[in-house]
Amino acid sequence: MSTSEASLSSQPLVAPGGRPGLPRRSRGLSLRTLIILRWLAIAGQTATVIVLVAGLHFPLPVWECLAVIFASVVVNLIAMSRLRQVDGRLPDGRLTAIHLGFDILQLTALLAFTGGLENPFCLLLVAPVTVAAASLPGRQALFLGLLVLIATVSLFFWSMPLPWEAGTKLELPALYRFGIGLALITGVVFTAAYAWRVAADAETLELALATTQDVLQREQRLAALGGLAAAAAHELGTPLATIQVVAKELLRASPPDGPVAEDARLLLSQADRCRDILKRLSTRPEDGDDLYVDIGLKALLNEVVEPHEGFDIAITVSVETPPGVEEPRVKRFAEVVHGLSAIVENAADFAASSVRVEGRAGERWITVTVIDDGPGFAPDILPRLGEPYVTSRPNSKARQAVAKQLAAARDASRNVKKGRPVVAPPLAEIAPSQGGMGLGFFIARTLLERTGGQVAVGHGDGGPGGNRGARVTIRWPREALEA
C-alpha cells in the first residue's frame, strides 16, 4: 500500500447516504414467535408423557416430568403478560437468547428424568442451537452451543433409567451412550454451522439487494433531474434572450459611466452565465470527443477550481505522487469535472478562509480530497449526505458577490442624484452557484460514482474559531480514471 492509500484509510470517513438499520441476525426472533414455538413444545411434551403412561404403561416419573413442563407453562404465561406491554412483533436478540437458553435447560431436565442420552428425544437439543445460529450473533450462538455441550456431558454422567416395559430393565453400555453423546455434539456443531452459513449468505444477498435498490433509486432521481434540466434549458432560452435584448438596449441608451449602465452590464454578464449553464445542461457527453481527451491530474483540478477563484477564499491545488513516478494523465470525463466542481463550490461556500484540493496517485488508486476550514458537517446532516434535498448551505460566495455589486450600483445611483462624481466599481466575474436546493452533493456523488469513484465524507483538519472543517474524499481505481 502506498503512502497516499495509507493516509486515506486512516481518515475517519463515512460513506454518505448509507443505509443504516439493515436487518441483521443480531435482531433475533420476535417474542410472539418464541411464545408460539414454546406452546408447540409444551403440547408435544405433554402428549408424549400421556402416551407413555396411559398408552404404553411405562413406569415414568410423571410428577417430575409434569413439574418440568409446568415450569415451561409458567415462563410462557409470563412472556404473554409481557407481550401485552410491548410490541411482540419486533425481534429482540437478547430476549431470544434468554428464552432459547431456558428451553435447553428445560429439555435437559426432562431428559434427565427419562433416560438421558438413552432417550431418542435427546436429538431435540439440536433445535435451539440451530435457531440461535440462524438468528443471533456469533457470541450468543456460541454460548448456547456450550450450554448444550454441558447438558450433554451432564446427561452422560447422570440420568434416571430409561422408562421401558414393566418388568424389563433396558441398560445400554457406556460406550454406546458415549457414542450417542458424541453424535449429538457433532450434529449440533454441523447443523449450527450450516444454519450460520445459510443465514450469512441470505444476509449478504439482502444487503446486495438493498444496495442495488438504492443505486437504482438514485439513478431514477438523476434521470428525472436530467429531464427537468433539459426542459428548463428549453423553457428558459426565450426569457434569457429577452433579458439580454433589454439589457443591451439599456446599455446603449444610458451614459457609459452611469449606474444604469453598470446594472445593464451586470445583467448581461449573468444572462451569459445562465446561457452557458443551460448549454452545458442540454449537451450530451457523446456530442463531442473533446470531453474524453486525457489531461494531467493537476491540470484537471485547476480546471475544476478556476471558476471558484477570485473571492475571499484561498483555494490551493496540489498533487502528490510516489517518488520517481510521473503525474498520471486522466480521462477528462464531464461527470468528473461537474461532480468535483460542485464539491469545491460547497467547500468554498462554507470555508472560513481556505480550501485545499489535494490529488494523490498511488499504485492502485487515484484520490482527490477537498478540505475546507469551515464549521464542518452538522451531526444531523452527515448521515443523510448524498440524499436529494438535504442542505444547510448559507448564501454562496457568488451570490454574496452579486449582492455587493448591486449594493454598489445603488450607492452610485444615489451619488449621481446628489451631484457627486461616480466611480464605476470593477465588475467581477461571478461563478455559477447550484445552491439552496440540496441537490448539488446528490448529483455530484451520483456522477462521480458513475465513473467508478467512491465518495466518503468526514471532518477536516480544523479551522479558525473552533471550526472542525470538512473533508470529502473521492477515490478511483487507476484503471477507471487513468488515460
Side-chain angles (χ1 to χ4, degrees):
M1 179 179 293
S2 66
T3 306
S4 61
E5 294 166 11
S7 63
L8 175 62
S9 62
S10 64
Q11 296 296 338
L13 302 176
V14 296
R19 296 179 61 90
L22 287 175
R24 298 184 64 85
R25 281 171 287 160
S26 58
R27 297 293 177 87
L29 301 177
S30 65
L31 182 59
R32 189 184 303 276
T33 301
L34 293 170
I35 291 174
I36 293 174
L37 292 176
R38 184 170 291 113
W39 281 129
L40 292 176
I42 291 172
Q45 292 169 359
T46 305
T48 302
V49 171
I50 293 175
V51 169
L52 290 177
V53 174
L56 300 178
H57 305 288
F58 283 2
L60 195 72
V62 178
W63 293 110
E64 290 85 347
C65 293
L66 292 179
V68 174
I69 297 174
F70 181 74
S72 188
V73 172
V74 171
V75 170
N76 231 24
L77 292 176
I78 295 174
M80 291 183 64
S81 65
R82 188 174 184 272
L83 185 63
R84 300 186 182 95
Q85 303 173 1
V86 298
D87 190 353
R89 295 170 298 179
L90 298 178
D92 189 331
R94 179 174 175 272
L95 191 63
T96 299
I98 293 175
H99 278 262
L100 291 177
F102 170 80
D103 290 338
I104 291 173
L105 295 177
Q106 189 260 2
L107 183 58
T108 301
L110 199 58
L111 290 172
F113 290 123
T114 56
L117 295 181
E118 298 176 1
N119 190 328
F121 287 102
C122 65
L123 182 65
L124 293 176
L125 286 172
V126 176
V129 182
T130 304
V131 174
S135 61
L136 294 176
R139 182 176 300 178
Q140 295 177 355
L142 181 62
F143 171 77
L144 293 176
L146 292 176
L147 188 60
V148 169
L149 175 62
I150 295 173
T152 303
V153 173
S154 302
L155 291 175
F156 176 79
F157 286 104
W158 183 89
S159 65
M160 295 181 66
L162 178 67
W164 204 248
E165 296 177 351
T168 304
K169 185 177 182 181
L170 180 64
E171 290 187 4
L172 297 177
L175 183 61
Y176 185 81
R177 290 189 294 113
F178 177 79
I180 293 178
L182 184 61
L184 178 61
I185 294 175
T186 304
V188 167
V189 171
F190 278 95
T191 306
Y194 178 78
W196 174 268
R197 186 65 260 172
V198 170
D201 290 343
E203 183 181 8
T204 302
L205 290 175
E206 187 177 16
L207 180 61
L209 177 61
T211 303
T212 303
Q213 290 174 342
D214 180 58
V215 171
L216 290 176
Q217 188 178 32
R218 286 192 287 111
E219 290 290 339
Q220 291 171 354
R221 290 172 178 170
L222 189 64
L225 288 174
L228 182 62
H234 176 72
E235 296 293 335
L236 292 176
T238 301
L240 277 177
T242 303
I243 292 173
Q244 285 183 314
V245 170
V246 173
K248 289 178 181 178
E249 292 297 329
L250 286 175
L251 187 59
R252 291 194 194 100
S254 58
D257 296 332
V260 177
E262 293 299 329
D263 290 345
R265 281 194 291 270
L266 181 59
L267 285 174
L268 284 173
S269 172
Q270 294 309 297
D272 290 337
R273 179 67 67 179
C274 290
R275 186 171 293 279
D276 291 340
I277 295 173
L278 293 178
K279 183 178 179 181
R280 288 198 298 269
L281 288 176
S282 59
T283 300
R284 297 174 299 174
E286 62 269 19
D287 289 341
D289 292 337
D290 57 323
L291 292 176
Y292 297 96
V293 297
D294 61 286
I295 188 175
L297 179 58
K298 189 167 186 179
L300 177 67
L301 298 181
N302 284 328
E303 179 185 352
V304 168
V305 166
E306 183 180 2
H308 311 289
E309 293 178 333
F311 302 109
D312 57 343
I313 298 297
I315 304 180
T316 59
V317 176
S318 63
V319 173
E320 177 185 336
T321 58
V325 178
E326 295 183 358
E327 176 187 330
R329 297 191 66 82
V330 297
K331 302 171 186 175
R332 187 185 177 279
F333 289 122
E335 294 92 335
V336 173
V337 174
H338 183 87
L340 290 178
S341 179
I343 292 175
V344 171
E345 182 183 0
N346 282 344
D349 284 346
F350 283 94
S353 60
S354 65
V355 174
R356 303 199 318 270
V357 181
E358 301 175 351
R360 294 185 179 89
E363 296 176 0
R364 297 173 52 200
W365 304 92
I366 294 178
T367 306
V368 174
T369 305
V370 181
I371 308 170
D372 66 68
D373 60 352
F377 296 110
D380 58 328
I381 294 293
L382 188 59
R384 297 185 293 128
L385 271 178
E387 299 177 5
Y389 308 109
V390 175
T391 182
S392 61
R393 176 195 289 270
N395 287 333
S396 71
K397 301 298 186 296
R399 290 195 293 275
Q400 291 174 9
V402 172
K404 290 179 181 179
Q405 290 185 3
L406 291 177
R410 288 194 298 268
D411 293 341
S413 178
R414 296 191 189 100
N415 291 336
V416 168
K417 293 179 181 179
K418 295 178 181 179
R420 299 174 183 173
V422 177
V423 179
L427 186 62
E429 185 176 350
I430 307 302
S433 175
Q434 316 194 15
M437 296 182 63
L439 294 174
F441 194 86
F442 162 71
I443 295 175
R445 177 194 172 195
T446 305
L447 291 176
L448 292 170
E449 288 182 349
R450 275 185 175 180
T451 62
Q454 302 172 7
V455 183
V457 299
H459 297 304
D461 301 331
N467 288 346
R468 291 177 298 180
R471 177 190 303 268
V472 179
T473 300
I474 310 96
R475 187 172 68 165
W476 293 269
R478 288 194 68 131
E479 60 272 14
L481 197 61
E482 194 170 17

